[in-house]
Amino acid sequence: MPDVSPIDLLRRLAVPLLALLLGGCSTLDYYAHLGQGQWQLLQAREPVERLLADPATDPDLTRRLRLSQTARDFASAQLHLPDNRSYRLYADLHRPFVVWNVFATPEFSLDPELHCFPIAGCVAYRGYYQLGRARGAAALLREQGLDTYIGGVEAYSTLGWFDDPLLSTMLRWNDERLVAVIFHELAHQQYYLAGDTAFNESFATFVEREGLRQWHVARSETPSASNDRQRQQFVELVLASRERLRQLYASNLPAAAMRKAKQAEFARLRRDYRALRQREWGGQGRFDAWIDSPMNNAKLLPFGLYDQWVPAFAALFEREGRNWPAFYTAVAALGRLPAPERQAELQALLQKSQN
């Protein structure tokens, strides 16, 4: 059973919810929905150790849970990530995603519609625990002339406010991805800078990748390099398309011509993807469903957020002697800088990584 009572939950949520409502960010109904969704998730938790001790637990689930606990131990002992009850609990959600994020942009812009929260700061999406609510929100945004995209999310971090559980949605991944996401989400608990999504996600992605590299070394395993290579090539393809769109939207074309050129760019992205798939991947692509579904600006938003500053954080890690505590201290120092100075420091680290 969860270790948080309804009264304790309300106590923890009272201040942020009040700040949200007084700030006028959205409606009471939306935040009630968030509170209810988080509470239901907490109610579904049970200790992993109890499941492992139960002979009735499905053998495959037992194996995955044992792996998760080994990774959880490694995260704190070797990567110096928070040592708490997060990912020592399990919750079966009986649905494919824990939340659905709604992204939106203007028709001729790659700048996201931002949503601001007192803890997370301003982010480029709004999350919903129910797919129907996400679809309804996206429909309202489309009526305003915005491009929208709904992305399912298998895991998220409460940044240490609660003991985040392993979710049944996370177990849909292969073993390597499961381990990587545990490292990624714990990195968000280690450090989080409100209002700077690219900084936070790039930091957590670096910790995930370097942590996974060290995990494989410690276990004398060979990582699945082919999947990483495919993903990197795909991301580069999408980012190149984004850059061409950015240049298009900065032009002075009339709206009708701009709209036609936008669709031509999406057609080019699909052609480039199929050529890459045939040339490099033997005709098999992991991202066929994504590339063949409807395309718009909002669908491209998540790309780049997770990768933009990863080489910069890698350079910082090297600068700090590959010492995790020293690295985290340096990351926190970066986070305390005013935004222009922080960007300049990250850019300098990025350039250093390329030399």
Side-chain angles (χ1 to χ4, degrees), residues 64-77:
R64 305 300 302 285
L65 291 178
R66 288 193 189 283
L67 173 69
S68 75
Q69 297 312 282
T70 303
R72 184 65 188 80
D73 292 340
F74 185 90
S76 293

Side-chain angles (χ1 to χ4, degrees), residues 111-175:
D111 294 331
E113 294 289 302
L114 296 178
H115 304 278
C116 299
F117 304 88
I119 298 171
C122 296
V123 295
Y125 52 84
R126 208 174 188 204
Y128 295 84
Y129 284 94
Q130 297 169 11
L131 178 57
R133 281 181 174 265
R135 286 173 172 166
L140 290 174
L141 291 168
R142 284 195 299 273
E143 287 182 1
Q144 300 172 30
L146 299 174
D147 282 9
T148 66
Y149 173 66
I150 299 173
V153 178
E154 293 95 342
Y156 68 86
S157 172
T158 61
L159 308 181
W161 278 70
F162 302 104
D163 296 323
D164 295 323
L166 290 161
L167 302 173
S168 53
T169 52
M170 298 166 64
L171 299 188
R172 298 166 58 201
W173 299 320
N174 62 29
D175 289 353

Side-chain angles (χ1 to χ4, degrees), residues 102-106 109-110 124 146-150 262 266 295-303:
V102 177
F103 299 86
T105 70
S109 173
L110 290 164
L146 299 174
D147 282 9
T148 66
Y149 173 66
I150 299 173
K262 174 183 176 180
F266 291 142
M295 199 81 69
N296 62 31
N297 296 331
K299 191 172 181 178
L300 307 186
L301 278 181
F303 292 87

Side-chain angles (χ1 to χ4, degrees), residues 16-28:
L17 279 177
L18 180 61
L20 287 165
L21 295 173
L22 292 178
C25 293
S26 188
T27 65
L28 175 60

Side-chain angles (χ1 to χ4, degrees), residues 30-91:
Y30 174 67
Y31 292 108
H33 161 72
L34 290 187
Q36 181 183 36
Q38 179 64 34
W39 173 242
Q40 290 173 344
L41 186 151
L42 296 178
Q43 284 284 83
R45 298 179 307 172
E46 53 185 316
V48 168
E49 60 184 14
R50 182 186 302 166
L51 287 166
L52 292 177
D54 186 350
T57 301
D58 178 82
D60 185 59
L61 177 59
T62 296
R63 184 188 71 79
R64 305 300 302 285
L65 291 178
R66 288 193 189 283
L67 173 69
S68 75
Q69 297 312 282
T70 303
R72 184 65 188 80
D73 292 340
F74 185 90
S76 293
Q78 302 301 321
L79 309 183
H80 297 269
L81 290 168
D83 189 4
N84 53 34
R85 292 189 69 210
S86 288
Y87 310 111
R88 302 291 189 187
L89 305 162
Y90 174 72

